[in-house]
Amino acid sequence: MMKRFVYINDDSSQDLYCDNRISNRKYTLWNFLPKNLWEQFRRFMNQYFLLIACLQLWSLITPVNPASTWGPLIIIFAVSATKEAWDDYNRYLSDKQANEKEVWVVKDGIRKHIQAQDIHVGNIVWLRENDEVPCDLVLIGTSEPQGICYVE
């Protein structure tokens, strides 16, 4: 087993560990259409309706206009894709807000503001009462006389 050493405020170890950026997004601009269609067609009923719509393109076996099946199918897929895009955009905005939240770090004995996404392994994060914890932390000290810290 390899031991890991973390040095306080050591900028040279930043490349060894991942950053503190939060990303809960499901899609990117490049993979939205294929990934969303994959999600849609994982459902059996959507596969069934696609099969029926494809069979209706064959005029020998169907007396109905194919638009009567393709129209609703495309509308349902478009509404579902729009909902997924909206939900993913809201996740993006939530992630952006969390990543850009200002936090205090102590570097070279000086307290300064940085964005939560710029916290790296080894940084000393200064939290005050009722502050939101922006990353995984090891508690070094507290202002309480008995050294007690309450975390919810």
Side-chain angles (χ1 to χ4, degrees):
M1 175 185 265
M2 188 176 109
K3 291 185 178 182
R4 275 197 291 188
F5 295 96
V6 175
Y7 298 99
I8 295 175
N9 288 329
D10 182 25
D11 292 334
S12 65
S13 65
Q14 288 181 6
D15 297 333
L16 298 175
Y17 304 102
C18 63
D19 59 7
N20 195 45
R21 187 176 315 251
I22 296 172
S23 179
N24 292 310
R25 293 180 62 193
K26 214 171 163 180
Y27 305 104
T28 65
L29 286 175
W30 304 112
N31 74 4
F32 178 77
L33 189 61
K35 203 169 184 180
N36 185 263
L37 286 174
W38 173 258
E39 291 289 326
Q40 296 279 351
F41 287 117
R42 281 185 21 189
R43 298 184 190 102
F44 175 74
M45 290 307 292
N46 288 346
Q47 293 173 14
Y48 170 76
F49 285 118
L50 179 67
L51 175 67
I52 296 300
C54 288
L55 288 175
Q56 285 188 347
L57 290 174
W58 194 9
S59 61
L60 294 174
I61 61 171
T62 183
V64 238
N65 185 354
S68 65
T69 303
W70 281 97
L73 187 67
I74 290 172
I75 288 171
I76 295 297
F77 282 173
V79 167
S80 182
T82 303
K83 181 193 170 296
E84 279 290 317
W86 180 254
D87 290 346
D88 203 52
Y89 179 70
N90 285 329
R91 282 190 292 269
Y92 162 75
L93 291 178
S94 174
D95 292 346
K96 186 174 181 339
Q97 183 180 15
N99 287 331
E100 292 176 353
K101 186 175 187 296
E102 294 285 320
V103 295
W104 287 102
V105 295
V106 179
K107 188 145 185 137
D108 300 324
I110 301 168
R111 214 171 16 153
K112 65 179 185 175
H113 266 119
I114 65 168
Q115 291 183 342
Q117 67 188 356
D118 296 327
I119 297 173
H120 294 288
V121 173
N123 286 144
I124 297 177
V125 180
W126 181 286
L127 295 177
R128 291 172 301 209
E129 187 175 352
N130 296 327
D131 275 355
E132 192 174 305
V133 180
C135 59
D136 294 339
L137 299 171
V138 175
L139 182 65
I140 297 174
T142 175
S143 61
E144 288 291 318
Q146 291 85 18
I148 297 173
C149 176
Y150 297 101
V151 179
E152 283 186 37

